[in-house]
Amino acid sequence: MPSPTDNAEDAPTNAPATCPMKEWPRALHHIDRKELYVNLESRIHYLHTFLDFSSNDIEALINGSKYVKALIPAIVNIVYRKLLQYDITARAFQTRSTSFEGPLDEFPSEDSPQIMHRKMFLRGYLVKLCSDPSKMEFWEYLDKVGMMHVGQGRQHPLHVEYIHIGACLSFIQDTFTEAILSHPRLQLYRKIALVKAMGKVIWIQNDLFAKWYVRDGEEYAGSETDKVAVEEEGYLHGQRVVGEPDEMLSSGNFSASAG
């Protein structure tokens, strides 16, 4: 008996294509690719489900916020000490761009006015990371942080190349992880929960940086860049969403300071 392949050349070539997913033995979650690039809420929902970001993570962030807030001033100093160790990252504070390769008149130090100014905003940003991630405003602001580093949405554009963004986020995560795991008063199960929740938030932030840098989904790009509003740092849709960092660290009005 001839095998099925013997007459393969005689087989019709105009047979309709079949989708292999239709034959998949189990149900799959459908993700609309276009929605990932044109709808921030859809993108966040996908990342939440993929990373199993749940109410447990939100609870861990809220209950652990008072411990994280106490770490923030020291972590800010550590981060800027690291950034000022390299000329390519230090130049962003002098030229507002890491791609500039010309000479610098002087390198900023940890006590330079522009560094003290940047430290203030990093403190506010890190406090924001520990606020209420159940609200879409939380993720909108993290997306805006990504946008602002590619030269959009600011009166004085800032351009930081993605390699430095990714390295800095990893350094922040590593510093937080060590500080939380070595905390003398937190029980182990709370340390684990807080480290996991912080890690997920930071990796979603990493994606929201990458979203503005990579070319994936560019076929769906329309005139979104024309709609970008120029706002002060700490503002979203004209409303302040990141308060004065020193006040937030000491205020009892911080929304995620329960626990």
Side-chain angles (χ1 to χ4, degrees), residues 217-254:
E218 65 181 350
E219 64 269 33
Y220 302 124
S223 58
E224 284 82 0
T225 55
D226 297 332
K227 302 174 184 176
V228 172
V230 176
E231 296 184 300
E232 294 182 52
E233 289 192 60
Y235 283 77
L236 180 68
H237 307 315
Q239 301 293 320
R240 177 177 281 280
V241 296
V242 174
E244 293 297 331
D246 293 331
E247 294 179 6
M248 295 174 71
L249 287 170
S250 60
S251 171
N253 295 327
F254 179 55

PDB file of all heavy atoms in Angstrom, residues 217-254:
ATOM      1  N   GLY A 217       4.896  46.813  17.983  1.00  0.00           N
ATOM      2  CA  GLY A 217       3.571  47.408  17.896  1.00  0.00           C
ATOM      3  C   GLY A 217       3.534  48.745  17.210  1.00  0.00           C
ATOM      4  O   GLY A 217       2.497  49.423  17.241  1.00  0.00           O
ATOM      5  N   GLU A 218       4.640  49.161  16.553  1.00  0.00           N
ATOM      6  CA  GLU A 218       4.652  50.489  15.957  1.00  0.00           C
ATOM      7  C   GLU A 218       3.663  50.623  14.805  1.00  0.00           C
ATOM      8  O   GLU A 218       3.287  51.727  14.430  1.00  0.00           O
ATOM      9  CB  GLU A 218       6.055  50.860  15.477  1.00  0.00           C
ATOM     10  CG  GLU A 218       6.600  50.004  14.346  1.00  0.00           C
ATOM     11  CD  GLU A 218       8.005  50.438  13.949  1.00  0.00           C
ATOM     12  OE1 GLU A 218       8.448  51.510  14.421  1.00  0.00           O
ATOM     13  OE2 GLU A 218       8.640  49.722  13.159  1.00  0.00           O
ATOM     14  N   GLU A 219       3.208  49.480  14.262  1.00  0.00           N
ATOM     15  CA  GLU A 219       2.221  49.570  13.178  1.00  0.00           C
ATOM     16  C   GLU A 219       0.885  50.113  13.663  1.00  0.00           C
ATOM     17  O   GLU A 219       0.041  50.532  12.881  1.00  0.00           O
ATOM     18  CB  GLU A 219       2.008  48.199  12.516  1.00  0.00           C
ATOM     19  CG  GLU A 219       1.404  47.132  13.417  1.00  0.00           C
ATOM     20  CD  GLU A 219       2.432  46.298  14.145  1.00  0.00           C
ATOM     21  OE1 GLU A 219       3.511  46.856  14.486  1.00  0.00           O
ATOM     22  OE2 GLU A 219       2.171  45.115  14.389  1.00  0.00           O
ATOM     23  N   TYR A 220       0.680  50.100  15.002  1.00  0.00           N
ATOM     24  CA  TYR A 220      -0.561  50.625  15.559  1.00  0.00           C
ATOM     25  C   TYR A 220      -0.422  52.086  15.987  1.00  0.00           C
ATOM     26  O   TYR A 220      -1.373  52.686  16.482  1.00  0.00           O
ATOM     27  CB  TYR A 220      -0.989  49.802  16.776  1.00  0.00           C
ATOM     28  CG  TYR A 220      -1.173  48.334  16.471  1.00  0.00           C
ATOM     29  CD1 TYR A 220      -0.481  47.372  17.198  1.00  0.00           C
ATOM     30  CD2 TYR A 220      -2.029  47.913  15.454  1.00  0.00           C
ATOM     31  CE1 TYR A 220      -0.647  46.021  16.937  1.00  0.00           C
ATOM     32  CE2 TYR A 220      -2.179  46.568  15.177  1.00  0.00           C
ATOM     33  CZ  TYR A 220      -1.492  45.621  15.921  1.00  0.00           C
ATOM     34  OH  TYR A 220      -1.650  44.293  15.653  1.00  0.00           O
ATOM     35  N   ALA A 221       0.772  52.634  15.858  1.00  0.00           N
ATOM     36  CA  ALA A 221       0.998  54.007  16.314  1.00  0.00           C
ATOM     37  C   ALA A 221       0.202  54.975  15.443  1.00  0.00           C
ATOM     38  O   ALA A 221       0.224  54.886  14.222  1.00  0.00           O
ATOM     39  CB  ALA A 221       2.477  54.347  16.269  1.00  0.00           C
ATOM     40  N   GLY A 222      -0.491  55.884  16.096  1.00  0.00           N
ATOM     41  CA  GLY A 222      -1.228  56.907  15.379  1.00  0.00           C
ATOM     42  C   GLY A 222      -0.663  58.261  15.712  1.00  0.00           C
ATOM     43  O   GLY A 222       0.525  58.506  15.532  1.00  0.00           O
ATOM     44  N   SER A 223      -1.490  59.099  16.246  1.00  0.00           N
ATOM     45  CA  SER A 223      -1.035  60.451  16.608  1.00  0.00           C
ATOM     46  C   SER A 223      -0.963  60.595  18.118  1.00  0.00           C
ATOM     47  O   SER A 223      -1.149  61.677  18.654  1.00  0.00           O
ATOM     48  CB  SER A 223      -1.996  61.490  16.029  1.00  0.00           C
ATOM     49  OG  SER A 223      -3.317  61.267  16.493  1.00  0.00           O
ATOM     50  N   GLU A 224      -0.693  59.462  18.826  1.00  0.00           N
ATOM     51  CA  GLU A 224      -0.660  59.518  20.285  1.00  0.00           C
ATOM     52  C   GLU A 224       0.347  60.538  20.788  1.00  0.00           C
ATOM     53  O   GLU A 224       0.113  61.226  21.775  1.00  0.00           O
ATOM     54  CB  GLU A 224      -0.319  58.136  20.864  1.00  0.00           C
ATOM     55  CG  GLU A 224      -1.473  57.139  20.821  1.00  0.00           C
ATOM     56  CD  GLU A 224      -1.593  56.481  19.458  1.00  0.00           C
ATOM     57  OE1 GLU A 224      -0.782  56.804  18.572  1.00  0.00           O
ATOM     58  OE2 GLU A 224      -2.497  55.659  19.282  1.00  0.00           O
ATOM     59  N   THR A 225       1.510  60.662  20.104  1.00  0.00           N
ATOM     60  CA  THR A 225       2.525  61.586  20.593  1.00  0.00           C
ATOM     61  C   THR A 225       2.055  63.026  20.505  1.00  0.00           C
ATOM     62  O   THR A 225       2.505  63.886  21.253  1.00  0.00           O
ATOM     63  CB  THR A 225       3.824  61.425  19.786  1.00  0.00           C
ATOM     64  OG1 THR A 225       3.522  61.600  18.393  1.00  0.00           O
ATOM     65  CG2 THR A 225       4.431  60.052  20.000  1.00  0.00           C
ATOM     66  N   ASP A 226       1.111  63.298  19.582  1.00  0.00           N
ATOM     67  CA  ASP A 226       0.596  64.665  19.482  1.00  0.00           C
ATOM     68  C   ASP A 226      -0.294  65.013  20.673  1.00  0.00           C
ATOM     69  O   ASP A 226      -0.556  66.178  20.922  1.00  0.00           O
ATOM     70  CB  ASP A 226      -0.209  64.830  18.188  1.00  0.00           C
ATOM     71  CG  ASP A 226       0.657  64.635  16.945  1.00  0.00           C
ATOM     72  OD1 ASP A 226       1.863  64.908  17.044  1.00  0.00           O
ATOM     73  OD2 ASP A 226       0.131  64.211  15.922  1.00  0.00           O
ATOM     74  N   LYS A 227      -0.761  63.985  21.384  1.00  0.00           N
ATOM     75  CA  LYS A 227      -1.684  64.214  22.484  1.00  0.00           C
ATOM     76  C   LYS A 227      -0.979  64.333  23.827  1.00  0.00           C
ATOM     77  O   LYS A 227      -1.620  64.553  24.836  1.00  0.00           O
ATOM     78  CB  LYS A 227      -2.697  63.054  22.555  1.00  0.00           C
ATOM     79  CG  LYS A 227      -3.507  62.854  21.267  1.00  0.00           C
ATOM     80  CD  LYS A 227      -4.381  61.605  21.379  1.00  0.00           C
ATOM     81  CE  LYS A 227      -5.125  61.310  20.084  1.00  0.00           C
ATOM     82  NZ  LYS A 227      -5.899  60.053  20.176  1.00  0.00           N
ATOM     83  N   VAL A 228       0.334  64.131  23.843  1.00  0.00           N
ATOM     84  CA  VAL A 228       1.076  64.171  25.104  1.00  0.00           C
ATOM     85  C   VAL A 228       1.059  65.582  25.673  1.00  0.00           C
ATOM     86  O   VAL A 228       1.452  66.535  25.016  1.00  0.00           O
ATOM     87  CB  VAL A 228       2.531  63.699  24.896  1.00  0.00           C
ATOM     88  CG1 VAL A 228       3.336  63.935  26.165  1.00  0.00           C
ATOM     89  CG2 VAL A 228       2.558  62.227  24.519  1.00  0.00           C
ATOM     90  N   ALA A 229       0.584  65.688  26.906  1.00  0.00           N
ATOM     91  CA  ALA A 229       0.528  66.992  27.573  1.00  0.00           C
ATOM     92  C   ALA A 229       1.823  67.233  28.323  1.00  0.00           C
ATOM     93  O   ALA A 229       2.382  66.330  28.941  1.00  0.00           O
ATOM     94  CB  ALA A 229      -0.652  67.034  28.538  1.00  0.00           C
ATOM     95  N   VAL A 230       2.313  68.448  28.258  1.00  0.00           N
ATOM     96  CA  VAL A 230       3.508  68.832  29.009  1.00  0.00           C
ATOM     97  C   VAL A 230       3.064  69.228  30.413  1.00  0.00           C
ATOM     98  O   VAL A 230       2.274  70.162  30.585  1.00  0.00           O
ATOM     99  CB  VAL A 230       4.244  70.000  28.319  1.00  0.00           C
ATOM    100  CG1 VAL A 230       5.423  70.459  29.169  1.00  0.00           C
ATOM    101  CG2 VAL A 230       4.702  69.585  26.928  1.00  0.00           C
ATOM    102  N   GLU A 231       3.538  68.471  31.413  1.00  0.00           N
ATOM    103  CA  GLU A 231       3.151  68.716  32.794  1.00  0.00           C
ATOM    104  C   GLU A 231       4.377  68.727  33.687  1.00  0.00           C
ATOM    105  O   GLU A 231       5.418  68.182  33.337  1.00  0.00           O
ATOM    106  CB  GLU A 231       2.176  67.633  33.284  1.00  0.00           C
ATOM    107  CG  GLU A 231       0.859  67.595  32.553  1.00  0.00           C
ATOM    108  CD  GLU A 231      -0.073  66.562  33.152  1.00  0.00           C
ATOM    109  OE1 GLU A 231       0.304  65.364  33.166  1.00  0.00           O
ATOM    110  OE2 GLU A 231      -1.158  66.928  33.612  1.00  0.00           O
ATOM    111  N   GLU A 232       4.222  69.310  34.848  1.00  0.00           N
ATOM    112  CA  GLU A 232       5.290  69.276  35.837  1.00  0.00           C
ATOM    113  C   GLU A 232       5.449  67.856  36.356  1.00  0.00           C
ATOM    114  O   GLU A 232       4.518  67.042  36.321  1.00  0.00           O
ATOM    115  CB  GLU A 232       4.963  70.207  37.006  1.00  0.00           C
ATOM    116  CG  GLU A 232       4.917  71.675  36.654  1.00  0.00           C
ATOM    117  CD  GLU A 232       4.635  72.523  37.887  1.00  0.00           C
ATOM    118  OE1 GLU A 232       5.361  72.349  38.897  1.00  0.00           O
ATOM    119  OE2 GLU A 232       3.700  73.318  37.850  1.00  0.00           O
ATOM    120  N   GLU A 233       6.633  67.572  36.865  1.00  0.00           N
ATOM    121  CA  GLU A 233       6.865  66.259  37.456  1.00  0.00           C
ATOM    122  C   GLU A 233       5.958  66.088  38.671  1.00  0.00           C
ATOM    123  O   GLU A 233       5.735  67.021  39.437  1.00  0.00           O
ATOM    124  CB  GLU A 233       8.326  66.100  37.866  1.00  0.00           C
ATOM    125  CG  GLU A 233       9.260  65.977  36.696  1.00  0.00           C
ATOM    126  CD  GLU A 233      10.641  65.521  37.134  1.00  0.00           C
ATOM    127  OE1 GLU A 233      10.750  64.426  37.715  1.00  0.00           O
ATOM    128  OE2 GLU A 233      11.599  66.259  36.885  1.00  0.00           O
ATOM    129  N   GLY A 234       5.448  64.874  38.842  1.00  0.00           N
ATOM    130  CA  GLY A 234       4.550  64.601  39.960  1.00  0.00           C
ATOM    131  C   GLY A 234       3.099  64.857  39.648  1.00  0.00           C
ATOM    132  O   GLY A 234       2.241  64.678  40.508  1.00  0.00           O
ATOM    133  N   TYR A 235       2.798  65.264  38.391  1.00  0.00           N
ATOM    134  CA  TYR A 235       1.422  65.552  37.995  1.00  0.00           C
ATOM    135  C   TYR A 235       0.943  64.558  36.951  1.00  0.00           C
ATOM    136  O   TYR A 235       1.718  64.060  36.127  1.00  0.00           O
ATOM    137  CB  TYR A 235       1.297  66.974  37.425  1.00  0.00           C
ATOM    138  CG  TYR A 235       1.287  68.050  38.477  1.00  0.00           C
ATOM    139  CD1 TYR A 235       2.463  68.450  39.095  1.00  0.00           C
ATOM    140  CD2 TYR A 235       0.094  68.657  38.879  1.00  0.00           C
ATOM    141  CE1 TYR A 235       2.464  69.425  40.070  1.00  0.00           C
ATOM    142  CE2 TYR A 235       0.086  69.642  39.852  1.00  0.00           C
ATOM    143  CZ  TYR A 235       1.272  70.023  40.442  1.00  0.00           C
ATOM    144  OH  TYR A 235       1.262  70.995  41.413  1.00  0.00           O
ATOM    145  N   LEU A 236      -0.350  64.258  36.988  1.00  0.00           N
ATOM    146  CA  LEU A 236      -0.997  63.392  36.008  1.00  0.00           C
ATOM    147  C   LEU A 236      -2.366  63.985  35.706  1.00  0.00           C
ATOM    148  O   LEU A 236      -3.160  64.207  36.619  1.00  0.00           O
ATOM    149  CB  LEU A 236      -1.153  61.963  36.550  1.00  0.00           C
ATOM    150  CG  LEU A 236      -1.823  60.956  35.630  1.00  0.00           C
ATOM    151  CD1 LEU A 236      -0.939  60.651  34.422  1.00  0.00           C
ATOM    152  CD2 LEU A 236      -2.137  59.664  36.385  1.00  0.00           C
ATOM    153  N   HIS A 237      -2.615  64.297  34.441  1.00  0.00           N
ATOM    154  CA  HIS A 237      -3.881  64.916  34.022  1.00  0.00           C
ATOM    155  C   HIS A 237      -4.155  66.204  34.783  1.00  0.00           C
ATOM    156  O   HIS A 237      -5.293  66.506  35.143  1.00  0.00           O
ATOM    157  CB  HIS A 237      -5.056  63.943  34.204  1.00  0.00           C
ATOM    158  CG  HIS A 237      -4.854  62.611  33.557  1.00  0.00           C
ATOM    159  ND1 HIS A 237      -4.353  62.459  32.272  1.00  0.00           N
ATOM    160  CD2 HIS A 237      -5.089  61.351  34.015  1.00  0.00           C
ATOM    161  CE1 HIS A 237      -4.291  61.173  31.979  1.00  0.00           C
ATOM    162  NE2 HIS A 237      -4.730  60.480  33.014  1.00  0.00           N
ATOM    163  N   GLY A 238      -3.092  66.951  35.077  1.00  0.00           N
ATOM    164  CA  GLY A 238      -3.250  68.236  35.747  1.00  0.00           C
ATOM    165  C   GLY A 238      -3.382  68.163  37.255  1.00  0.00           C
ATOM    166  O   GLY A 238      -3.470  69.195  37.922  1.00  0.00           O
ATOM    167  N   GLN A 239      -3.403  66.961  37.820  1.00  0.00           N
ATOM    168  CA  GLN A 239      -3.531  66.797  39.260  1.00  0.00           C
ATOM    169  C   GLN A 239      -2.231  66.263  39.844  1.00  0.00           C
ATOM    170  O   GLN A 239      -1.598  65.385  39.255  1.00  0.00           O
ATOM    171  CB  GLN A 239      -4.678  65.816  39.591  1.00  0.00           C
ATOM    172  CG  GLN A 239      -6.030  66.236  39.066  1.00  0.00           C
ATOM    173  CD  GLN A 239      -6.552  67.481  39.755  1.00  0.00           C
ATOM    174  OE1 GLN A 239      -6.393  67.631  40.964  1.00  0.00           O
ATOM    175  NE2 GLN A 239      -7.182  68.369  38.988  1.00  0.00           N
ATOM    176  N   ARG A 240      -1.824  66.781  41.012  1.00  0.00           N
ATOM    177  CA  ARG A 240      -0.616  66.271  41.664  1.00  0.00           C
ATOM    178  C   ARG A 240      -0.896  64.871  42.218  1.00  0.00           C
ATOM    179  O   ARG A 240      -1.822  64.671  43.002  1.00  0.00           O
ATOM    180  CB  ARG A 240      -0.171  67.190  42.800  1.00  0.00           C
ATOM    181  CG  ARG A 240       1.044  66.663  43.563  1.00  0.00           C
ATOM    182  CD  ARG A 240       1.529  67.617  44.631  1.00  0.00           C
ATOM    183  NE  ARG A 240       2.321  68.705  44.090  1.00  0.00           N
ATOM    184  CZ  ARG A 240       3.609  68.603  43.759  1.00  0.00           C
ATOM    185  NH1 ARG A 240       4.234  67.443  43.883  1.00  0.00           N
ATOM    186  NH2 ARG A 240       4.262  69.638  43.290  1.00  0.00           N
ATOM    187  N   VAL A 241      -0.110  63.905  41.788  1.00  0.00           N
ATOM    188  CA  VAL A 241      -0.266  62.531  42.271  1.00  0.00           C
ATOM    189  C   VAL A 241       0.940  62.079  43.074  1.00  0.00           C
ATOM    190  O   VAL A 241       0.892  61.041  43.735  1.00  0.00           O
ATOM    191  CB  VAL A 241      -0.517  61.547  41.101  1.00  0.00           C
ATOM    192  CG1 VAL A 241      -1.832  61.852  40.415  1.00  0.00           C
ATOM    193  CG2 VAL A 241       0.628  61.572  40.097  1.00  0.00           C
ATOM    194  N   VAL A 242       2.029  62.815  43.000  1.00  0.00           N
ATOM    195  CA  VAL A 242       3.188  62.568  43.850  1.00  0.00           C
ATOM    196  C   VAL A 242       3.427  63.829  44.641  1.00  0.00           C
ATOM    197  O   VAL A 242       3.754  64.879  44.088  1.00  0.00           O
ATOM    198  CB  VAL A 242       4.444  62.212  43.019  1.00  0.00           C
ATOM    199  CG1 VAL A 242       5.661  62.111  43.933  1.00  0.00           C
ATOM    200  CG2 VAL A 242       4.242  60.910  42.277  1.00  0.00           C
ATOM    201  N   GLY A 243       3.222  63.744  45.960  1.00  0.00           N
ATOM    202  CA  GLY A 243       3.339  64.922  46.801  1.00  0.00           C
ATOM    203  C   GLY A 243       4.780  65.273  47.088  1.00  0.00           C
ATOM    204  O   GLY A 243       5.708  64.648  46.581  1.00  0.00           O
ATOM    205  N   GLU A 244       4.972  66.277  47.925  1.00  0.00           N
ATOM    206  CA  GLU A 244       6.326  66.622  48.347  1.00  0.00           C
ATOM    207  C   GLU A 244       6.879  65.424  49.100  1.00  0.00           C
ATOM    208  O   GLU A 244       6.294  64.991  50.108  1.00  0.00           O
ATOM    209  CB  GLU A 244       6.321  67.860  49.246  1.00  0.00           C
ATOM    210  CG  GLU A 244       5.908  69.137  48.516  1.00  0.00           C
ATOM    211  CD  GLU A 244       6.878  69.501  47.406  1.00  0.00           C
ATOM    212  OE1 GLU A 244       8.082  69.155  47.540  1.00  0.00           O
ATOM    213  OE2 GLU A 244       6.446  70.107  46.415  1.00  0.00           O
ATOM    214  N   PRO A 245       7.969  64.826  48.629  1.00  0.00           N
ATOM    215  CA  PRO A 245       8.451  63.566  49.200  1.00  0.00           C
ATOM    216  C   PRO A 245       8.664  63.590  50.699  1.00  0.00           C
ATOM    217  O   PRO A 245       8.270  62.663  51.396  1.00  0.00           O
ATOM    218  CB  PRO A 245       9.772  63.348  48.454  1.00  0.00           C
ATOM    219  CG  PRO A 245       9.608  64.094  47.172  1.00  0.00           C
ATOM    220  CD  PRO A 245       8.771  65.290  47.515  1.00  0.00           C
ATOM    221  N   ASP A 246       9.277  64.651  51.236  1.00  0.00           N
ATOM    222  CA  ASP A 246       9.538  64.680  52.674  1.00  0.00           C
ATOM    223  C   ASP A 246       8.246  64.695  53.475  1.00  0.00           C
ATOM    224  O   ASP A 246       8.143  64.092  54.538  1.00  0.00           O
ATOM    225  CB  ASP A 246      10.393  65.896  53.031  1.00  0.00           C
ATOM    226  CG  ASP A 246      11.795  65.801  52.445  1.00  0.00           C
ATOM    227  OD1 ASP A 246      12.255  64.659  52.268  1.00  0.00           O
ATOM    228  OD2 ASP A 246      12.403  66.845  52.164  1.00  0.00           O
ATOM    229  N   GLU A 247       7.232  65.379  52.953  1.00  0.00           N
ATOM    230  CA  GLU A 247       5.944  65.408  53.634  1.00  0.00           C
ATOM    231  C   GLU A 247       5.279  64.040  53.576  1.00  0.00           C
ATOM    232  O   GLU A 247       4.679  63.572  54.532  1.00  0.00           O
ATOM    233  CB  GLU A 247       5.038  66.461  52.987  1.00  0.00           C
ATOM    234  CG  GLU A 247       5.530  67.890  53.165  1.00  0.00           C
ATOM    235  CD  GLU A 247       4.603  68.882  52.477  1.00  0.00           C
ATOM    236  OE1 GLU A 247       3.554  68.449  51.990  1.00  0.00           O
ATOM    237  OE2 GLU A 247       4.945  70.072  52.419  1.00  0.00           O
ATOM    238  N   MET A 248       5.404  63.359  52.422  1.00  0.00           N
ATOM    239  CA  MET A 248       4.771  62.046  52.263  1.00  0.00           C
ATOM    240  C   MET A 248       5.404  61.011  53.175  1.00  0.00           C
ATOM    241  O   MET A 248       4.748  60.110  53.681  1.00  0.00           O
ATOM    242  CB  MET A 248       4.867  61.595  50.801  1.00  0.00           C
ATOM    243  CG  MET A 248       4.087  62.482  49.833  1.00  0.00           C
ATOM    244  SD  MET A 248       4.360  62.014  48.124  1.00  0.00           S
ATOM    245  CE  MET A 248       3.459  60.468  48.059  1.00  0.00           C
ATOM    246  N   LEU A 249       6.719  61.127  53.384  1.00  0.00           N
ATOM    247  CA  LEU A 249       7.409  60.158  54.222  1.00  0.00           C
ATOM    248  C   LEU A 249       6.999  60.276  55.680  1.00  0.00           C
ATOM    249  O   LEU A 249       7.028  59.315  56.427  1.00  0.00           O
ATOM    250  CB  LEU A 249       8.929  60.333  54.090  1.00  0.00           C
ATOM    251  CG  LEU A 249       9.533  59.850  52.771  1.00  0.00           C
ATOM    252  CD1 LEU A 249      10.975  60.305  52.670  1.00  0.00           C
ATOM    253  CD2 LEU A 249       9.448  58.336  52.666  1.00  0.00           C
ATOM    254  N   SER A 250       6.611  61.495  56.106  1.00  0.00           N
ATOM    255  CA  SER A 250       6.292  61.707  57.514  1.00  0.00           C
ATOM    256  C   SER A 250       4.806  61.874  57.777  1.00  0.00           C
ATOM    257  O   SER A 250       4.370  61.838  58.922  1.00  0.00           O
ATOM    258  CB  SER A 250       7.026  62.951  58.008  1.00  0.00           C
ATOM    259  OG  SER A 250       6.631  64.090  57.250  1.00  0.00           O
ATOM    260  N   SER A 251       4.013  62.027  56.712  1.00  0.00           N
ATOM    261  CA  SER A 251       2.602  62.325  56.902  1.00  0.00           C
ATOM    262  C   SER A 251       1.786  61.071  57.166  1.00  0.00           C
ATOM    263  O   SER A 251       2.008  60.028  56.587  1.00  0.00           O
ATOM    264  CB  SER A 251       2.048  63.036  55.647  1.00  0.00           C
ATOM    265  OG  SER A 251       0.647  63.148  55.725  1.00  0.00           O
ATOM    266  N   GLY A 252       0.794  61.204  58.000  1.00  0.00           N
ATOM    267  CA  GLY A 252      -0.139  60.109  58.226  1.00  0.00           C
ATOM    268  C   GLY A 252      -1.200  60.022  57.173  1.00  0.00           C
ATOM    269  O   GLY A 252      -2.061  59.156  57.201  1.00  0.00           O
ATOM    270  N   ASN A 253      -1.190  60.981  56.210  1.00  0.00           N
ATOM    271  CA  ASN A 253      -2.213  60.989  55.156  1.00  0.00           C
ATOM    272  C   ASN A 253      -1.839  60.136  53.973  1.00  0.00           C
ATOM    273  O   ASN A 253      -2.582  60.041  53.007  1.00  0.00           O
ATOM    274  CB  ASN A 253      -2.418  62.428  54.653  1.00  0.00           C
ATOM    275  CG  ASN A 253      -2.994  63.319  55.737  1.00  0.00           C
ATOM    276  OD1 ASN A 253      -3.758  62.849  56.565  1.00  0.00           O
ATOM    277  ND2 ASN A 253      -2.596  64.592  55.736  1.00  0.00           N
ATOM    278  N   PHE A 254      -0.656  59.495  54.019  1.00  0.00           N
ATOM    279  CA  PHE A 254      -0.231  58.642  52.920  1.00  0.00           C
ATOM    280  C   PHE A 254      -1.188  57.476  52.790  1.00  0.00           C
ATOM    281  O   PHE A 254      -1.440  56.732  53.742  1.00  0.00           O
ATOM    282  CB  PHE A 254       1.194  58.148  53.185  1.00  0.00           C
ATOM    283  CG  PHE A 254       1.732  57.240  52.136  1.00  0.00           C
ATOM    284  CD1 PHE A 254       1.754  57.633  50.814  1.00  0.00           C
ATOM    285  CD2 PHE A 254       2.202  55.977  52.474  1.00  0.00           C
ATOM    286  CE1 PHE A 254       2.256  56.800  49.835  1.00  0.00           C
ATOM    287  CE2 PHE A 254       2.687  55.145  51.501  1.00  0.00           C
ATOM    288  CZ  PHE A 254       2.720  55.549  50.188  1.00  0.00           C
TER     289      PHE A 254
END
